Amino acid sequence: MLVFIGATILCFIIWLLFTFNGSIWQWDEITAGIVFSIIAGAITEKVAIKEYRSLSPKKWLYLIAYLPRFFYEMAKANFDVAYRIITGKIKPGIVKLSPGLKNNLSITILANSITLTPGTLSVDVDEAGNLYVHWINVKPEFFEEKDIKCKCRYVCSTFPDWARRIGE
Amino acid sequence: MMWELIYVLLGIGIFFNLLASVGLLRFPDVYTRLHAGTKCTTFGSIFVALAVMAYGLWKWYDGDEAMISLAIHAFFALIAILLTNPTGAHAIARAAYRSGVKPAKAVIDELGGEKND
Amino acid sequence: MNPFMIALVLLSISILIAMIRAILGPTIPDRVVGLDTVNTLVIASMLVFGAATKEVIYIDVAIVYALLSYITTVLIAKYLEGGKI
């Protein structure tokens, strides 16, 4: 029931944003919006994953705090890739990371963040939560480092901590 | 003043989009091409969408009321790009690895030898 | 001249360059990467075209195109992996 109400309200807000054209909404637009939102909400309730822990407001605040930091890393990544496209200096390889995350949401957030940041692209993930990352410029320091946490820091800075705060 | 902002945003966007397609030609194998083909186009498209949003908001502020919908719809298109692009790249990379494409010029491959399903 | 039209011309050039990679190959994943890049560039040029002509309908098409092209990419990837679609 909670999923149904939440999805209906979200769909209705998106409908209002889509049909807004400068002036106030007409009544027939609002009626059609309510009907379609209820249909979409009823379908969502059947397929949704019922996990209410991710609804807590603290996690949403963490997500908002994460976005500027993420965008900064992404801008850095793009200048790095631009430099490599122009000069052609690459040293690719696939490395294994063990960030120690447990649930699916946090692993998804981490994998998507890795794909959009400095020269790294997630290729595969196994059942134990180990990520296999294609790295465009493998640093030799990475192999000398023994500590798993420090190993992650070379590839994806502090993203595992953020993913844990948002997802778990 | 607003035209200069739009010029700068469009310029950055077009520069990265052009660079992405050049990188697609220059890089030696699938994985490095994915680096160019997804990161640079995502970043470039963000700036293109920001330029369109700035244009819509500016025209709306100047009195053309219907132009606000241009900005809102461009924002939703931006969210669609941001959500779908990295996931698609991840799917292609995984499919490429499982269909047997090895990374060219690789210095290390820690995934190799462990996967054979 | 409208700057959005100039941007549209430059985006079309980059679509053509990405098309070369989709045609040349050499492996199937290479072509898929080229196709994916072309899709994203087409979405960006639809946004620019909508702003140039001041028509919102092109941006609506761009949203639907983004979601459909994502489904296409994931389906081709699934097919390459050898799983059932």
Side-chain angles (χ1 to χ4, degrees):
Chain A
M1 201 59 200
L2 198 63
V3 173
F4 173 68
I5 294 169
T8 307
I9 291 172
L10 191 66
C11 284
F12 189 58
I13 290 171
I14 290 174
W15 174 278
L16 288 184
L17 283 175
F18 262 114
T19 51
F20 185 64
N21 54 359
S23 52
I24 204 77
W25 296 276
Q26 303 294 314
W27 276 110
D28 50 352
E29 279 176 357
I30 293 179
T31 318
I34 291 171
V35 172
F36 286 124
S37 307
I38 289 174
I39 295 171
I43 296 171
T44 310
E45 198 184 18
K46 279 184 189 159
V47 296
I49 304 159
K50 298 205 170 47
E51 195 181 320
Y52 299 111
R53 272 187 314 130
S54 58
L55 287 175
S56 83
K58 212 169 100 186
K59 294 191 189 309
W60 288 95
L61 286 179
Y62 274 130
L63 184 65
I64 291 166
Y66 174 58
L67 287 178
R69 159 102 201 155
F70 173 67
F71 195 79
Y72 167 70
E73 290 285 342
M74 198 174 145
K76 233 170 59 182
N78 278 283
F79 285 107
D80 185 60
V81 172
Y83 167 75
R84 284 180 205 293
I85 289 171
I86 292 167
T87 59
K89 277 182 200 157
I90 50 170
K91 211 166 124 191
I94 293 180
V95 297
K96 180 183 173 184
L97 290 182
S98 313
L101 299 172
K102 281 168 201 75
N103 73 10
N104 287 332
L105 179 62
S106 52
I107 291 174
T108 312
I109 290 172
L110 181 61
N112 275 351
S113 305
I114 283 176
T115 302
L116 284 172
T117 47
T120 50
L121 173 79
S122 44
V123 175
D124 208 343
V125 56
D126 62 12
E127 285 79 11
N130 297 323
L131 284 167
Y132 296 89
V133 177
H134 184 269
W135 198 0
I136 202 165
N137 184 33
V138 179
K139 289 179 186 151
E141 301 99 278
F142 180 81
F143 302 111
E144 287 150 22
E145 191 67 58
K146 288 287 172 283
D147 188 26
I148 292 169
K149 278 219 158 152
C150 291
K151 263 189 154 181
C152 288
R153 196 133 302 164
Y154 280 110
V155 181
C156 47
S157 64
T158 52
F159 288 163
D161 302 333
W162 282 102
R164 186 173 297 118
R165 274 177 226 152
I166 296 167
E168 282 178 6
Chain B
M1 182 57 208
M2 277 308 279
W3 276 124
E4 279 81 4
L5 177 68
I6 291 172
Y7 273 123
V8 169
L9 288 174
L10 271 181
I12 298 173
I14 302 292
F15 172 70
F16 275 100
N17 277 339
L18 272 173
L19 210 61
S21 43
V22 172
L24 215 56
L25 280 185
R26 270 179 67 96
F27 278 159
D29 75 322
V30 182
Y31 305 100
T32 42
R33 274 172 202 152
L34 268 173
H35 282 289
T38 57
K39 275 192 266 276
C40 287
T41 50
T42 312
F43 196 65
S45 302
I46 288 176
F47 279 95
V48 169
L50 281 180
V52 174
M53 279 160 73
Y55 181 70
L57 286 175
W58 173 41
K59 287 291 167 194
W60 174 66
Y61 188 74
D62 269 3
D64 190 353
E65 286 193 331
M67 293 299 272
I68 184 72
S69 58
L70 197 76
I72 296 174
H73 289 224
F75 178 70
F76 277 106
L78 177 61
I79 289 180
I81 292 174
L82 278 183
L83 284 180
T84 57
N85 239 346
T87 324
H90 173 62
I92 299 172
R94 193 170 117 133
Y97 203 92
R98 297 217 171 157
S99 68
V101 180
K102 296 280 176 243
K105 293 186 194 168
V107 290
I108 182 169
D109 185 2
E110 285 185 316
L111 180 55
E114 294 180 30
K115 284 266 176 244
N116 43 9
D117 50 349
Chain C
M1 196 181 167
N2 195 339
F4 288 109
M5 278 298 175
I6 304 169
L8 194 60
V9 172
L10 289 172
L11 276 174
S12 311
I13 294 171
S14 58
I15 289 175
L16 281 178
I17 300 173
M19 278 286 210
I20 296 173
R21 175 50 67 197
I23 293 167
L24 282 183
T27 62
I28 298 170
D30 279 317
R31 292 173 207 271
V32 183
V33 173
L35 200 69
D36 196 47
T37 310
V38 169
N39 281 334
T40 315
L41 291 174
V42 166
I43 295 162
S45 45
M46 274 181 185
L47 287 178
V48 169
F49 194 62
T53 55
K54 295 191 183 177
E55 289 282 350
V56 184
I57 190 78
Y58 293 113
I59 298 177
D60 292 338
V61 176
I63 297 169
V64 178
Y65 189 91
L67 300 173
L68 281 181
S69 70
Y70 166 66
I71 294 173
T72 317
T73 308
V74 172
L75 265 182
I76 298 174
K78 188 89 182 153
Y79 172 71
L80 284 179
E81 257 180 54
K84 276 184 191 152
I85 292 170

Short mmCIF file of all heavy atoms in Angstrom, two decimals, chain A residues 32-60:
data_model
loop_
_atom_site.label_atom_id
_atom_site.label_comp_id
_atom_site.label_asym_id
_atom_site.label_seq_id
_atom_site.Cartn_x
_atom_site.Cartn_y
_atom_site.Cartn_z
N ALA A 32 -7.10 13.57 -16.07
CA ALA A 32 -6.37 12.54 -16.81
C ALA A 32 -5.12 12.13 -16.06
O ALA A 32 -4.77 10.94 -15.98
CB ALA A 32 -6.02 13.06 -18.20
N GLY A 33 -4.42 13.10 -15.45
CA GLY A 33 -3.21 12.82 -14.69
C GLY A 33 -3.48 11.89 -13.53
O GLY A 33 -2.74 10.93 -13.28
N ILE A 34 -4.59 12.14 -12.78
CA ILE A 34 -4.91 11.29 -11.63
C ILE A 34 -5.20 9.86 -12.10
O ILE A 34 -4.69 8.89 -11.52
CB ILE A 34 -6.12 11.87 -10.86
CG1 ILE A 34 -5.71 13.18 -10.19
CG2 ILE A 34 -6.63 10.90 -9.83
CD1 ILE A 34 -6.86 13.95 -9.59
N VAL A 35 -5.99 9.72 -13.19
CA VAL A 35 -6.32 8.38 -13.68
C VAL A 35 -5.05 7.61 -14.06
O VAL A 35 -4.81 6.48 -13.61
CB VAL A 35 -7.28 8.49 -14.89
CG1 VAL A 35 -7.46 7.14 -15.53
CG2 VAL A 35 -8.59 9.05 -14.45
N PHE A 36 -4.17 8.24 -14.86
CA PHE A 36 -2.96 7.53 -15.32
C PHE A 36 -2.01 7.25 -14.16
O PHE A 36 -1.35 6.21 -14.13
CB PHE A 36 -2.27 8.33 -16.41
CG PHE A 36 -2.98 8.27 -17.72
CD1 PHE A 36 -3.38 9.42 -18.37
CD2 PHE A 36 -3.24 7.05 -18.30
CE1 PHE A 36 -4.05 9.35 -19.57
CE2 PHE A 36 -3.90 6.98 -19.50
CZ PHE A 36 -4.30 8.14 -20.14
N SER A 37 -1.93 8.16 -13.16
CA SER A 37 -1.04 7.92 -12.01
C SER A 37 -1.50 6.71 -11.22
O SER A 37 -0.68 5.92 -10.76
CB SER A 37 -1.03 9.14 -11.10
OG SER A 37 -0.73 10.28 -11.80
N ILE A 38 -2.85 6.58 -11.06
CA ILE A 38 -3.36 5.43 -10.29
C ILE A 38 -3.05 4.13 -11.03
O ILE A 38 -2.62 3.14 -10.43
CB ILE A 38 -4.86 5.60 -10.01
CG1 ILE A 38 -5.04 6.72 -8.99
CG2 ILE A 38 -5.47 4.31 -9.50
CD1 ILE A 38 -6.47 7.09 -8.74
N ILE A 39 -3.20 4.14 -12.38
CA ILE A 39 -2.87 2.93 -13.15
C ILE A 39 -1.39 2.59 -12.99
O ILE A 39 -1.02 1.44 -12.70
CB ILE A 39 -3.22 3.13 -14.64
CG1 ILE A 39 -4.73 3.30 -14.81
CG2 ILE A 39 -2.73 1.97 -15.47
CD1 ILE A 39 -5.15 3.72 -16.20
N ALA A 40 -0.50 3.61 -13.13
CA ALA A 40 0.94 3.37 -13.02
C ALA A 40 1.30 2.89 -11.62
O ALA A 40 2.12 1.98 -11.44
CB ALA A 40 1.70 4.65 -13.37
N GLY A 41 0.65 3.46 -10.58
CA GLY A 41 0.93 3.05 -9.21
C GLY A 41 0.54 1.60 -8.96
O GLY A 41 1.25 0.85 -8.30
N ALA A 42 -0.63 1.20 -9.53
CA ALA A 42 -1.09 -0.18 -9.33
C ALA A 42 -0.13 -1.16 -9.99
O ALA A 42 0.16 -2.23 -9.44
CB ALA A 42 -2.49 -0.34 -9.92
N ILE A 43 0.40 -0.79 -11.18
CA ILE A 43 1.36 -1.70 -11.83
C ILE A 43 2.66 -1.75 -11.03
O ILE A 43 3.25 -2.81 -10.84
CB ILE A 43 1.61 -1.24 -13.28
CG1 ILE A 43 0.32 -1.34 -14.09
CG2 ILE A 43 2.69 -2.08 -13.93
CD1 ILE A 43 0.41 -0.71 -15.44
N THR A 44 3.10 -0.57 -10.51
CA THR A 44 4.37 -0.52 -9.77
C THR A 44 4.32 -1.39 -8.53
O THR A 44 5.30 -2.03 -8.17
CB THR A 44 4.68 0.93 -9.38
OG1 THR A 44 4.55 1.75 -10.52
CG2 THR A 44 6.07 1.05 -8.82
N GLU A 45 3.15 -1.44 -7.86
CA GLU A 45 3.06 -2.19 -6.61
C GLU A 45 3.35 -3.67 -6.84
O GLU A 45 3.89 -4.35 -5.97
CB GLU A 45 1.67 -2.01 -6.00
CG GLU A 45 1.66 -2.39 -4.54
CD GLU A 45 0.28 -2.31 -3.95
OE1 GLU A 45 -0.69 -2.31 -4.72
OE2 GLU A 45 0.19 -2.27 -2.73
N LYS A 46 3.00 -4.19 -8.05
CA LYS A 46 3.23 -5.61 -8.31
C LYS A 46 4.70 -5.94 -8.53
O LYS A 46 5.15 -7.02 -8.19
CB LYS A 46 2.42 -6.03 -9.55
CG LYS A 46 0.98 -6.30 -9.21
CD LYS A 46 0.23 -6.81 -10.42
CE LYS A 46 -1.25 -6.85 -10.11
NZ LYS A 46 -2.05 -6.85 -11.32
N VAL A 47 5.44 -5.00 -9.17
CA VAL A 47 6.82 -5.33 -9.56
C VAL A 47 7.86 -4.74 -8.62
O VAL A 47 9.04 -5.09 -8.71
CB VAL A 47 7.11 -4.85 -11.00
CG1 VAL A 47 6.23 -5.58 -11.99
CG2 VAL A 47 6.94 -3.36 -11.12
N ALA A 48 7.46 -3.84 -7.68
CA ALA A 48 8.46 -3.14 -6.88
C ALA A 48 9.13 -4.06 -5.87
O ALA A 48 8.53 -5.03 -5.39
CB ALA A 48 7.81 -1.96 -6.15
N ILE A 49 10.40 -3.76 -5.56
CA ILE A 49 11.10 -4.46 -4.50
C ILE A 49 10.74 -3.78 -3.18
O ILE A 49 10.96 -2.59 -3.01
CB ILE A 49 12.62 -4.39 -4.72
CG1 ILE A 49 12.98 -4.92 -6.10
CG2 ILE A 49 13.36 -5.14 -3.64
CD1 ILE A 49 14.31 -4.43 -6.58
N LYS A 50 10.15 -4.54 -2.25
CA LYS A 50 9.67 -3.89 -1.04
C LYS A 50 10.78 -3.84 0.00
O LYS A 50 11.01 -4.77 0.77
CB LYS A 50 8.46 -4.66 -0.51
CG LYS A 50 7.33 -4.63 -1.52
CD LYS A 50 5.99 -4.81 -0.90
CE LYS A 50 4.88 -4.52 -1.89
NZ LYS A 50 5.06 -5.16 -3.21
N GLU A 51 11.48 -2.71 -0.02
CA GLU A 51 12.56 -2.54 0.96
C GLU A 51 12.45 -1.12 1.51
O GLU A 51 12.85 -0.16 0.88
CB GLU A 51 13.91 -2.74 0.26
CG GLU A 51 15.03 -2.94 1.24
CD GLU A 51 16.35 -3.12 0.52
OE1 GLU A 51 16.38 -3.79 -0.51
OE2 GLU A 51 17.35 -2.57 1.01
N TYR A 52 11.84 -0.99 2.69
CA TYR A 52 11.49 0.34 3.17
C TYR A 52 12.67 1.05 3.84
O TYR A 52 12.58 2.22 4.15
CB TYR A 52 10.32 0.25 4.16
CG TYR A 52 9.10 -0.32 3.51
CD1 TYR A 52 8.61 -1.57 3.84
CD2 TYR A 52 8.45 0.40 2.51
CE1 TYR A 52 7.50 -2.09 3.22
CE2 TYR A 52 7.35 -0.12 1.88
CZ TYR A 52 6.88 -1.36 2.24
OH TYR A 52 5.79 -1.87 1.60
N ARG A 53 13.79 0.33 4.07
CA ARG A 53 14.90 0.98 4.75
C ARG A 53 15.47 2.13 3.93
O ARG A 53 15.95 3.12 4.46
CB ARG A 53 16.01 -0.04 5.02
CG ARG A 53 15.84 -0.77 6.33
CD ARG A 53 17.04 -1.63 6.62
NE ARG A 53 17.45 -2.39 5.45
CZ ARG A 53 18.68 -2.43 5.01
NH1 ARG A 53 19.61 -1.78 5.63
NH2 ARG A 53 18.99 -3.13 3.95
N SER A 54 15.41 1.98 2.57
CA SER A 54 16.01 3.01 1.74
C SER A 54 15.15 4.26 1.66
O SER A 54 15.50 5.21 0.99
CB SER A 54 16.25 2.47 0.34
OG SER A 54 15.03 2.05 -0.21
N LEU A 55 14.02 4.28 2.37
CA LEU A 55 13.17 5.46 2.35
C LEU A 55 13.55 6.48 3.41
O LEU A 55 13.00 7.57 3.44
CB LEU A 55 11.70 5.06 2.54
CG LEU A 55 11.03 4.38 1.36
CD1 LEU A 55 9.63 3.94 1.75
CD2 LEU A 55 10.96 5.33 0.19
N SER A 56 14.50 6.14 4.30
CA SER A 56 14.78 7.04 5.42
C SER A 56 15.41 8.34 4.91
O SER A 56 16.24 8.31 4.01
CB SER A 56 15.71 6.37 6.42
OG SER A 56 17.03 6.49 5.99
N PRO A 57 14.99 9.49 5.45
CA PRO A 57 15.45 10.79 4.92
C PRO A 57 16.95 10.99 5.03
O PRO A 57 17.52 11.74 4.24
CB PRO A 57 14.68 11.81 5.77
CG PRO A 57 14.17 11.06 6.93
CD PRO A 57 14.01 9.66 6.52
N LYS A 58 17.61 10.30 6.02
CA LYS A 58 19.05 10.48 6.17
C LYS A 58 19.79 10.06 4.91
O LYS A 58 20.72 10.71 4.46
CB LYS A 58 19.52 9.63 7.37
CG LYS A 58 20.69 10.25 8.10
CD LYS A 58 20.93 9.53 9.40
CE LYS A 58 22.06 8.56 9.27
NZ LYS A 58 22.25 7.72 10.45
N LYS A 59 19.33 8.94 4.31
CA LYS A 59 19.99 8.44 3.11
C LYS A 59 19.82 9.41 1.94
O LYS A 59 20.73 9.60 1.14
CB LYS A 59 19.41 7.09 2.74
CG LYS A 59 19.74 6.04 3.78
CD LYS A 59 19.41 4.68 3.29
CE LYS A 59 19.54 3.67 4.40
NZ LYS A 59 20.81 3.75 5.10
N TRP A 60 18.64 10.05 1.87
CA TRP A 60 18.43 11.02 0.78
C TRP A 60 19.34 12.22 0.96
O TRP A 60 19.87 12.75 -0.02
CB TRP A 60 16.97 11.45 0.74
CG TRP A 60 16.10 10.36 0.24
CD1 TRP A 60 15.41 9.46 0.98
CD2 TRP A 60 15.87 10.01 -1.13
NE1 TRP A 60 14.76 8.58 0.15
CE2 TRP A 60 15.02 8.91 -1.14
CE3 TRP A 60 16.30 10.57 -2.34
CZ2 TRP A 60 14.58 8.31 -2.31
CZ3 TRP A 60 15.86 9.98 -3.51
CH2 TRP A 60 15.01 8.87 -3.49
#
